[in-house]
Amino acid sequence: MMARKKVKLAYITNDGARKACFRKRKKGLLKKVSELSTLCDVNACAIIYGPYDTEPEVWPSPDGVQRVLAQFKSMPETEQSKKMFDQVTYLSQRIGKAQEQVKNQTKENREKDVKHVMFQSLSGKSLQGLMLMDLQDLTWTIDQYLEQVHSRMKNFKEALKNENQEQGATAAADRPMDNVTP
């Protein structure tokens, strides 16, 4: 089965396509609510107000929705709002995630800039004009590269040593045994 490509979440300007998409998504959402209720044995309901319907669509039935809402309203208010969040909370979470992404991208850009300065300095460009923080980051980056080089050299030496030992053992096994007496 092929994976679907990621859908760009944007308003669908074509009326027919938007209406068809709404119908399909609504059907899929109601199916998911039904599956969740059945598979996990939870009380669930759905109320969907659509621009193309005069009445809201409810699942499983108007009475079923009333039962779930009554059960929800009978809970203490602290329990009701425990896992609930509104648009402000949702947007706050999204902003937090976006800020984290910006922070990570800024760090990645900084690392690339420092690597660029390092490689330029290897080709003879002067380091004058760099601030102390830039020089500290450059030192750290160089140390990281040196650790990688030392690690690769160590691994290469060990692999070469193992290969030489294997060749020595193979050569000894291949030598004819001249002095063996039966």
Side-chain angles (χ1 to χ4, degrees), residues 9 31 42 56 90 115 180:
L9 295 179
K31 182 180 176 189
V42 295
Y90 171 75
K115 285 179 185 179
V180 177

Side-chain angles (χ1 to χ4, degrees), residues 47-106:
I47 304 171
I48 301 175
Y49 287 93
Y52 311 108
D53 303 322
T54 55
E55 293 290 317
E57 178 137 1
V58 294
W59 184 93
S61 66
D63 290 338
V65 169
Q66 290 299 328
R67 262 192 323 275
V68 172
L69 288 176
Q71 182 182 5
F72 177 73
K73 288 179 180 179
S74 70
M75 295 170 62
E77 200 169 308
T78 55
E79 286 295 312
Q80 286 181 16
S81 60
K82 191 188 236 179
K83 295 184 180 177
M84 187 186 313
F85 60 95
D86 57 6
Q87 191 170 12
V88 172
T89 307
Y90 171 75
L91 290 175
S92 296
Q93 286 180 354
R94 295 286 301 193
I95 289 169
K97 285 181 183 179
Q99 287 173 334
E100 186 66 27
Q101 287 175 334
V102 167
K103 183 177 134 188
N104 291 339
Q105 191 62 52
T106 302

Side-chain angles (χ1 to χ4, degrees), residues 110-160:
R110 175 70 179 157
E111 289 172 0
K112 286 182 180 182
D113 288 344
V114 170
K115 285 179 185 179
H116 181 73
V117 168
M118 180 182 70
F119 288 121
Q120 281 185 328
S121 70
L122 289 173
S123 64
K125 185 177 180 201
S126 173
L127 296 177
Q128 279 192 301
L130 292 179
M131 302 184 99
L132 179 61
M133 188 176 90
D134 297 331
L135 292 171
Q136 289 172 336
D137 288 348
L138 182 61
T139 301
W140 184 86
T141 302
I142 291 170
D143 288 343
Q144 294 301 308
Y145 270 89
L146 285 173
E147 280 182 32
Q148 289 177 5
V149 167
H150 289 302
S151 175
R152 286 182 181 174
M153 286 175 55
K154 181 181 174 187
N155 291 342
F156 179 74
K157 286 179 182 178
E158 287 175 8
L160 194 59

